Amino acid sequence: MALAQHDFSAVFRIARQRAGISFGKIGDSCGIKADRVSKIARGQVQITSFDKIIHIADGMRIPGRLLGLAPRPWESVAPASTDTRSSTEDEEVLAVPEHPPSGEEPFAVLSVEEAVAVCAQESARYGARIDTPIGFYTIEELASAVHDLAAAYPYRPVLPSLIRARELRQRAWTLRERCHRPDQQRDLHRIAGWLCAVLANASFDLGGISAAQTQARVADLHGELVGDHGLRAWVRGLQALVAYWDGCPEDAVAYAQAANQFRPSKGTALLRAASIRARALAQLRRAEEADAALIEAEEMRENAQEDLPGVIAFPHAKQLYWASSTHLNLGGSERIRKAEMSAAEAITLYESAPPAQRRTGELSHARLDRVTARLARSDLDGLSEDVDTVLSSMSDRRIESTMRRLAQLAAVLDQPRPRANRHLAQVREAIEATVSYSPAPVMMSGNEAL
């Protein structure tokens, strides 16, 4: 949905086409110049400032929840209820206000999909209120929301996912504090744990390594309290991945090996851990152990069954490009050949999915591995096309590991021989321009501060 993805280009165009609202009117309401609104609608300018998103929400009367925000002050208040719980303990009512403040035009613009989503969310909240204080309905709704969040994560900008995960985590914690039934406590610990795991992943994708480590430790604590081996093994894999990208391969190996102390009944957490262990071992030049880890991962793939989708899953294409990275880290002509083959196979698998369901971040890594392998063979065929595709994808979804991978490639291209090649020098300059660019920081204050 356009609102959930902060696609204000689509939002502004819908406002003009369906509601007849001029760009000038939108600009006046949101505190944006009309010509800039026009550029945003054409996709030439993106909104990244948290303050500006708030101004747009208030100016266009867009309910906060649709943008991953807290309810706005002007949103309608839930009718009085006999429920003794305070309004702060329940999820806020989401509704397009029927009677906006006097003198203001009501133009909360929703697409068909967004209108359907609003109706479903309203029904879900009412169902939660009429259920028992912490009934199975409430917990099932929360679990379903976690499933949807994890499933959508690879295909949308990271920041909205982080904000949504935080909101759901707070809800799970609130319910946990009111809950006394052991079975429901286990469910809520597991839900909160997976949400902290998603927050850890999102924190790292946004460049917050320390924050990612904190979220991972809390996720592991939730898993420990209820004996969730799948969650704990997945968290160890994430900790290994963060250590790998933070330049600590020894720590990455230790975290990945620690995942093997758990025995999840399903999921690909151990397969994922073996694959990241291979990459870290390759960084340490421990070739035999790296090869053994790759073989271990291949054997586990035969019986792999996913637990949660999306960001939690470890698809075969991802395993292939992690194997490619392993071979690149070890080096040598035969390894380079294997790396290019694995990367190419991964790209084929990723591109076989419909465009809206492609994991662009992972696909970018596979492309960069293929570029690196071809550079090692002095083969420039398709190199600039792969790099250009990666750089273009960064406008929609910038993640930390891709930025670091691009920086690595730029360092390779900065060597004397590539620098002497005009074509490669242009590729390096394009990469450096992207890596050096930093979007406006997202500021949170008050109750929205993380």
Side-chain angles (χ1 to χ4, degrees):
M1 296 189 298
L3 292 173
Q5 295 178 356
H6 292 181
D7 183 0
F8 294 106
S9 171
V11 172
F12 290 170
R13 283 187 279 106
I14 291 171
R16 185 173 67 173
Q17 294 168 3
R18 299 190 184 181
I21 303 166
S22 69
F23 288 158
K25 176 63 176 177
I26 293 174
D28 290 342
S29 300
C30 302
I32 306 174
K33 293 182 179 179
D35 61 342
R36 187 170 179 83
V37 172
S38 179
K39 290 181 180 180
I40 293 170
R42 292 197 301 270
Q44 297 175 349
V45 175
Q46 292 187 343
I47 298 294
T48 59
S49 166
F50 189 75
D51 288 339
K52 188 60 66 178
I53 292 172
I54 289 178
H55 290 159
I56 292 173
D58 292 341
M60 298 186 71
R61 314 317 266 180
I62 301 173
R65 185 174 298 278
L66 293 182
L67 291 170
L69 305 174
R72 308 308 304 145
W74 45 261
E75 291 187 44
S76 59
V77 180
S81 167
T82 56
D83 192 337
T84 58
R85 289 171 289 176
S86 67
S87 60
T88 58
E89 293 177 318
D90 289 312
E91 292 193 24
E92 300 81 4
V93 173
L94 169 63
V96 178
E98 297 180 0
H99 305 290
S102 175
E104 295 189 11
E105 182 176 352
F107 60 101
V109 183
L110 305 179
S111 67
V112 173
E113 294 83 0
E114 289 160 348
V116 170
V118 169
C119 294
Q121 289 172 346
E122 290 172 340
S123 295
R125 289 183 183 84
Y126 186 75
R129 289 198 297 273
I130 65 175
D131 193 15
T132 55
I134 306 178
F136 287 107
Y137 174 86
T138 304
I139 293 177
E140 287 175 2
E141 280 292 303
L142 192 55
S144 176
V146 174
H147 184 280
D148 293 345
L149 172 69
Y153 186 98
Y155 318 111
R156 63 184 302 200
V158 178
L159 181 58
S161 294
L162 179 135
I163 294 173
R164 178 60 171 160
R166 177 196 179 241
E167 174 192 8
L168 294 174
R169 182 202 60 187
Q170 297 300 108
R171 179 65 174 157
W173 282 350
T174 298
L175 290 176
R176 168 64 189 82
E177 291 173 358
R178 286 193 262 144
C179 177
H180 299 289
R181 295 182 181 180
D183 56 337
Q184 293 179 344
Q185 288 181 341
R186 285 194 298 272
D187 289 340
L188 290 167
H189 269 302
R190 184 174 187 272
I191 288 170
W194 278 113
L195 287 167
C196 286
V198 173
L199 282 167
N201 200 102
S203 297
F204 172 65
D205 282 346
L206 293 170
I209 289 181
S210 178
Q213 293 168 337
T214 298
Q215 297 285 4
R217 286 192 293 269
V218 177
D220 182 61
L221 177 58
H222 279 293
E224 179 185 2
L225 291 172
V226 294
D228 190 329
H229 282 214
L231 171 58
R232 301 194 72 189
W234 195 91
V235 169
R236 288 294 179 276
L238 179 62
Q239 290 172 315
L241 187 63
V242 172
Y244 172 83
W245 283 110
D246 198 30
C248 303
E250 296 90 349
D251 292 343
V253 171
Y255 278 126
Q257 287 177 334
N260 291 325
Q261 66 184 294
F262 306 113
R263 290 291 178 266
S265 58
K266 58 180 178 178
T268 53
L270 295 183
L271 163 57
R272 175 171 170 266
S275 295
I276 187 60
R277 189 170 79 248
R279 298 173 85 185
L281 287 166
Q283 277 191 338
L284 296 170
R285 302 295 182 181
R286 291 156 62 176
E288 291 185 6
E289 294 174 80
D291 286 336
L294 288 178
I295 293 172
E296 180 183 341
E298 290 172 1
E299 292 174 346
M300 284 191 282
R301 173 59 65 182
E302 297 178 2
N303 300 312
Q305 294 181 334
E306 295 291 3
D307 185 2
L308 289 170
V311 66
I312 307 302
F314 188 68
H316 188 210
K318 193 168 187 176
Q319 181 180 353
L320 284 168
Y321 95 71
W322 281 19
S324 173
S325 298
T326 300
H327 291 305
L328 287 176
N329 284 336
L330 289 169
S333 58
E334 180 60 19
R335 297 279 188 183
I336 296 301
R337 185 187 67 81
K338 289 182 178 180
E340 185 174 356
M341 289 178 59
S342 293
E345 187 176 354
I347 292 169
T348 299
L349 287 176
Y350 282 126
E351 291 185 333
S352 66
Q357 298 177 19
R358 288 178 187 167
R359 296 169 172 251
T360 56
E362 297 168 16
L363 177 55
S364 292
H365 278 269
R367 290 187 186 280
L368 293 175
D369 277 357
R370 181 166 68 179
V371 165
T372 304
R374 288 178 174 176
L375 272 175
R377 296 192 298 102
S378 299
D379 179 5
L380 306 186
D381 183 37
L383 185 148
S384 61
E385 289 81 0
D386 270 340
V387 172
D388 287 344
T389 301
V390 172
L391 297 181
S392 296
S393 72
M394 298 294 284
S395 62
D396 296 324
R397 197 166 191 275
R398 297 172 68 89
I399 59 176
E400 180 69 12
S401 58
T402 307
M403 296 292 286
R404 293 186 180 221
R405 187 68 185 84
L406 282 167
Q408 291 173 353
L409 179 57
V412 172
L413 294 174
D414 199 34
Q415 298 300 313
R417 179 177 293 182
R419 284 184 67 89
N421 184 299
R422 180 180 177 184
H423 174 67
L424 294 181
Q426 292 175 340
V427 172
R428 175 178 54 80
E429 290 170 1
I431 293 174
E432 290 176 344
T434 298
V435 172
S436 62
Y437 165 73
S438 179
V442 176
M443 303 301 294
M444 293 186 177
S445 61
N447 292 333
E448 288 77 46
L450 293 180

